[in-house]
Amino acid sequence: MERPAWAPQGIDISVPSVSRIYDYYLGGSHNFEVDREAAREAMRFMPGLPKVMQANRAFMRRAVRFAVGEGIRQFLDIGSGIPTFGNVHEVAQAASPEARVLYVDHDPVAVAHSRAVLEGNEHAAIAAADLRKPQDILGAAEQSQLLDLSRPVALLLVAVLHFVEDQDDPRAAVAELRDALAPGSLLVLTHASYEGIPLTEEEAGGTVGVYRAIKNPLVMRAREEVARFFDGFTIVEPGLVSMPLWRPENDTDQEDPYAFSGFAGVGRKA
């Protein structure tokens, strides 16, 4: 398999990556054939997966604009993936040029491509770290240089927590990050769930099996389990809802049924 010029040395391009699969769903070009094969297999069970990802991105953009409207000028996006058009720094800085954005990801391709995209942007950076190790994020040089944790921050955990298994205690990781944030900070979250998917659980389970087979288990959590990630936050209106229903900017009647898969919400730390 030929290594593209943009692929960092040292990564195994024969192993699928969640962030590169996500890039493929969104129509990106920073993915390998092994990622595309996994994505196509997942879509064999859930053909609407690209619609889910598009709804996820649309929610993220609305939530970022909401955060800016609430006076927040700092964003910490963990599990940020490979930058695509309309990413957090573009949305935030379009609304407020002084907005600062720190992306965090553990995929070398996501990190390398983010650095290339962000070159020359003094108010945005990428750190290589893993959500499962919050201290690595909080202690990253990029974090201390870019963010002031004594002031409110919007913490984005968008489409990432469902890749952290219960044995890795994702609630503890979120709580550790929460405790490091100033009052008035926001938690912006989306999470996959069997609830809302226009398929039976058995049918959708085929997609879950694909992710399990590539050693990136997709953990489908029920609404009450997702809500527990907001412990210590007050969920803002309209609550924990399907992604298109969170403060929609357009009529949702014509949305693809797959867009209503899973949950989205924003919480505020008192």
Side-chain angles (χ1 to χ4, degrees), residues 189-254:
L189 181 155
T190 65
H191 200 294
S193 176
Y194 285 119
E195 299 176 46
I197 298 176
L199 298 171
T200 67
E201 184 170 326
E202 181 179 4
E203 290 169 330
T207 290
V208 174
V210 171
Y211 281 92
R212 187 183 303 113
I214 64 171
K215 305 297 191 293
N216 283 290
L218 176 59
V219 184
M220 307 291 265
R221 294 186 171 100
R223 187 180 188 281
E224 56 269 24
E225 294 176 287
V226 178
R228 293 175 68 192
F229 288 116
F230 286 96
D231 287 353
F233 295 90
T234 300
I235 301 181
V236 305
E237 291 295 332
L240 189 59
V241 296
S242 297
M243 292 177 289
L245 300 181
W246 196 89
R247 302 188 179 224
E249 296 170 347
N250 300 300
D251 187 0
T252 61
D253 289 346
Q254 302 303 313

Side-chain angles (χ1 to χ4, degrees), residues 66-82:
F66 169 78
V68 172
E70 293 292 294
I72 289 182
R73 298 295 183 269
Q74 302 186 104
F75 296 82
L76 176 57
D77 183 2
I78 302 176
S80 52
I82 296 167

Side-chain angles (χ1 to χ4, degrees), residues 76-98:
L76 176 57
D77 183 2
I78 302 176
S80 52
I82 296 167
T84 57
F85 176 75
N87 215 353
V88 174
H89 73 282
E90 294 175 326
V91 177
Q93 291 173 356
S96 177
E98 71 271 23

Side-chain angles (χ1 to χ4, degrees), residues 43-55:
M43 290 168 61
R44 189 167 68 83
F45 298 99
M46 283 184 63
L49 277 170
K51 293 294 184 182
V52 177
M53 307 313 164
Q54 291 164 18

